[in-house]
Amino acid sequence: MSPSVPPRTARRRIAGTVGVLLAVGVVITGLVQAAPSSAPPTLDPGITSIMRKPEYRHAQWGLFQQNPETGKVTQARYADQFFIPGSTAKLFSVSGTWHTLGGGHRFVTPVYAVGQRRGATLRGDLDLVAQGDLTLGGRTRKDGTVAFTDIDHTYANDVPGATLTPPDPLAGLHHLAQQVRKSGIRRVDGDVVVDARLFRPDPALDPTPTPLIINDHLIDLLTSPGARVGAPAGLQWRPKVAPYHVTSSVRTVAAGKPADITVSSSADGTRIRLTGTIAADSAPVLRVSAIKDPNAFGRTAMIEALKRAGVEVRAKAIGPNPSGQLPKSYQGAPAVARYASPSYAQYAKLILKVSHNLGANLGICLMATTTGSTNCEDGFPVLARFLEHAQVDRKAVQLADGRGGNPADRTTPRALAQILTYWQHTPDALRFRMSLPILGIDGTLADSCHSCPSRGKVFAKTGTAAGGDILNDRLAVGAETAAGYLETRPGHFDVFFAGVNGASTPNADINGVLAIGNDVADVAAHLQQQASARH
């Protein structure tokens, strides 16, 4: 448990928490209050007791539950009013990307030899053409599935308990480098260039996707307690790529004290420093630092991977990406390496299970590329056409990003139920449902309802939008939501939404936000149990 924030430090601490958004939309705005669309049936007493908590005195709860086979609605509370969705908005963007690319789509990243070959020497450049691969092998298991943890490393600076996946973040580059060597090239008398022309980064999408993504644009920093109180803490970090350098002055303190580790970096992100304390009995604590120039980082990482594979590159490894050297096309240039990603359905599972913000925004850009556009904004008309195909009321959805963090993002509970109903009528119904967090099992629902009867019977995307209420030294929780499926009996599933807008925590402790998330999960569990009892 993190300590509550004293008034003098509240502004700094709360400002940091604004970026939390575990599952997330980040913006707090005014809520439109309206009468329920219809008088709801009698609620489980467990649900009403949750709704009457002090945290929800000024809040609005919404509920919707429907049988997608018969269309019968069993719960409808503010079903047609706009709610801040948080990351339940990812249900729309991921669905649109899945439909547009296909669940089996694989991103194939090639490396072209541009120039003349003289035996084992390439007199020219190796061009790595980025294809929008979300992980480039950095999360791929040996069986081809994508690895994830319940609390992803992308949330490490804000949410306690984030951990790393085992795969090497540079795995895709290693694979490409080894293929270059197998092609017969031993020396490159030119440069290595990242071709990132697939689409233009759009700062309106935060976090901003780029065609080349390595380790989610992050350096992982894992701190472990030292051998005794007062000793320097241990530090491991990855991926180790020049000229990135990490130092730490974190010290070990007495057992039982909270970890207090801060990360700072130079303007270009290459000099990273950790300060603070870690308790002697603490588990390793993960923090992350941003990679500021993904293309320069990727170029250096590729040159280093080539060196390890036995390929010498004449150009200096450290420096800007020389994109001005890229050819207009690769006609006539041989591809000397290719890396194929896992299927998009695997990436969708990652995005939905851990609420991967970068991956959800990336989907908007990828949909744009299918029209021949390099402008990410052109992905929204593609998404709009898909929603019409899926029989989702477009006017009941407002989106300005893919992850649910823009101030404009809104949706109604009924619209979320419509996208969920669409999937139930497709051959991918099971695969999509299993891509969602499962109550008490994994993803953002892993820590809820461990021993309740609904464990393993609720499949739902969660969403959080939280910011600092500096006036009252607490956190304003604009949204805590969940939307997905309730198993009413074996093989039968209702679609549902449960969520609250306008809640607040007792103080500036992030655990208050997590507690509200648990309340929403408990509401979902009660809905599932009610539905099961009816059958």
Side-chain angles (χ1 to χ4, degrees):
M1 295 284 287
S2 301
S4 60
V5 183
R8 288 191 177 184
T9 60
R11 181 178 298 272
R12 181 185 64 190
R13 179 66 175 276
I14 293 176
T17 307
V18 172
V20 167
L21 320 171
L22 350 156
V24 305
V26 205
V27 190
I28 309 304
T29 58
L31 301 174
V32 177
Q33 297 291 330
S37 54
S38 62
T42 302
L43 288 175
D44 184 289
I47 294 178
T48 56
S49 66
I50 291 171
M51 291 181 173
R52 291 171 181 166
K53 286 184 176 182
E55 293 91 328
Y56 311 120
R57 179 183 175 189
H58 303 294
Q60 175 175 299
W61 278 89
L63 294 175
F64 190 77
Q65 184 178 350
Q66 184 178 35
N67 183 324
E69 298 169 5
T70 66
K72 181 180 179 181
V73 175
T74 54
Q75 292 290 347
R77 180 183 177 89
Y78 300 109
D80 297 300
Q81 301 299 312
F82 270 141
F83 279 76
I84 300 170
S87 278
T88 56
K90 291 182 174 72
L91 291 169
F92 298 118
S93 60
V94 170
S95 295
T97 310
W98 187 322
H99 174 81
T100 302
L101 299 180
H105 177 79
R106 297 177 188 271
F107 301 88
V108 180
T109 302
V111 174
Y112 289 99
V114 180
Q116 299 296 317
R117 288 278 295 269
R118 293 291 185 269
T121 299
L122 171 64
R123 295 181 178 177
D125 299 336
L126 287 176
D127 291 356
L128 188 160
V129 184
Q131 298 294 307
D133 186 337
L134 179 58
T135 73
L136 200 60
R139 292 181 186 253
T140 305
R141 301 185 181 102
K142 290 182 178 180
D143 63 0
T145 59
V146 172
F148 63 90
T149 59
D150 293 331
I151 304 177
D152 193 61
H153 77 143
T154 53
Y155 292 107
N157 289 354
D158 300 303
V159 182
T163 53
L164 294 173
T165 56
D168 181 355
L170 301 176
L173 297 185
H174 293 321
H175 184 82
L176 289 168
Q178 289 162 5
Q179 285 189 59
V180 170
R181 191 180 192 284
K182 288 178 181 178
S183 76
I185 295 174
R186 299 291 186 273
R187 177 180 171 85
V188 178
D189 277 348
D191 212 327
V192 170
V193 190
V194 172
D195 185 340
R197 295 179 291 188
L198 181 68
F199 60 81
R200 299 191 301 275
D202 185 350
L205 299 175
D206 180 21
T208 302
T210 58
L212 181 69
I213 297 172
I214 297 173
N215 203 42
D216 302 314
H217 299 330
L218 296 172
I219 301 294
D220 297 317
L221 311 158
L222 192 64
T223 299
S224 302
R228 63 186 184 283
V229 172
L235 174 66
Q236 295 176 294
W237 63 281
R238 70 176 201 182
K240 292 185 177 179
V241 174
Y244 283 75
H245 182 69
V246 182
T247 58
S248 173
S249 62
V250 177
R251 311 294 292 187
T252 307
V253 295
K257 292 190 175 182
D260 183 10
I261 300 173
T262 300
V263 178
S264 59
S265 70
S266 58
D268 65 357
T270 63
R271 293 294 181 266
I272 302 167
R273 181 166 178 77
L274 289 81
T275 58
T277 58
I278 185 170
D281 60 345
S282 173
V285 174
L286 182 64
R287 295 287 186 266
V288 292
S289 187
I291 294 169
K292 301 290 182 68
D293 188 340
N295 295 332
F297 181 89
R299 171 187 173 273
T300 298
M302 185 62 185
I303 291 174
E304 292 178 346
L306 287 164
K307 182 178 179 179
R308 287 189 290 270
V311 179
E312 179 187 355
V313 178
R314 183 177 181 182
K316 292 182 179 179
I318 299 171
N321 182 52
S323 57
Q325 298 174 199
L326 291 170
K328 290 183 179 180
S329 76
Y330 292 100
Q331 186 174 0
V336 292
R338 285 188 175 88
Y339 178 78
S341 76
S343 68
Y344 181 77
Q346 278 292 312
Y347 282 168
K349 185 175 184 178
L350 166 68
I351 296 166
L352 295 171
K353 289 285 190 185
V354 310
S355 206
H356 197 282
N357 292 322
L358 182 62
N361 280 345
L362 175 64
I364 301 296
C365 301
L366 294 174
M367 283 187 279
T369 66
T370 65
T371 70
S373 175
T374 60
N375 182 355
C376 291
E377 192 170 311
D378 289 335
F380 287 102
V382 179
L383 177 57
R385 289 191 293 273
F386 161 71
L387 293 179
E388 290 178 345
H389 165 78
Q391 298 185 331
V392 174
D393 180 4
R394 272 180 53 196
K395 300 299 183 183
V397 182
Q398 295 179 176
L399 287 179
D401 65 2
R403 62 115 166 181
N406 189 281
D409 293 347
R410 295 289 188 279
T411 186
T412 68
R414 194 184 302 273
L416 284 165
Q418 289 168 344
I419 192 63
L420 293 161
T421 297
Y422 161 79
W423 281 107
Q424 281 297 90
H425 297 139
T426 72
D428 280 326
L430 174 62
R431 187 156 58 157
F432 182 79
R433 186 171 66 250
M434 295 304 293
S435 296
L436 300 174
I438 304 173
L439 187 66
I441 304 292
D442 64 16
T444 55
L445 287 174
D447 290 332
S448 300
C449 200
H450 278 162
S451 57
C452 77
S454 296
R455 182 177 185 269
K457 298 177 182 179
V458 176
F459 308 78
K461 182 72 199 76
T462 60
T464 303
D469 176 7
I470 299 172
L471 177 67
N472 296 296
D473 187 21
R474 63 184 182 180
L475 298 176
V477 184
E480 192 66 55
T481 56
Y485 303 98
L486 309 171
E487 187 172 19
T488 58
R489 64 185 190 275
H492 293 267
F493 302 87
D494 279 3
V495 295
F496 86 98
F497 168 88
V500 60
N501 275 190
S504 56
T505 61
N507 50 45
D509 189 336
I510 183 60
N511 286 288
V513 180
L514 302 179
I516 293 173
N518 283 332
D519 279 348
V520 172
D522 286 345
V523 169
H526 285 298
L527 290 175
Q528 188 277 327
Q529 290 161 36
Q530 271 191 314
S532 293
R534 287 195 294 269
H535 294 283

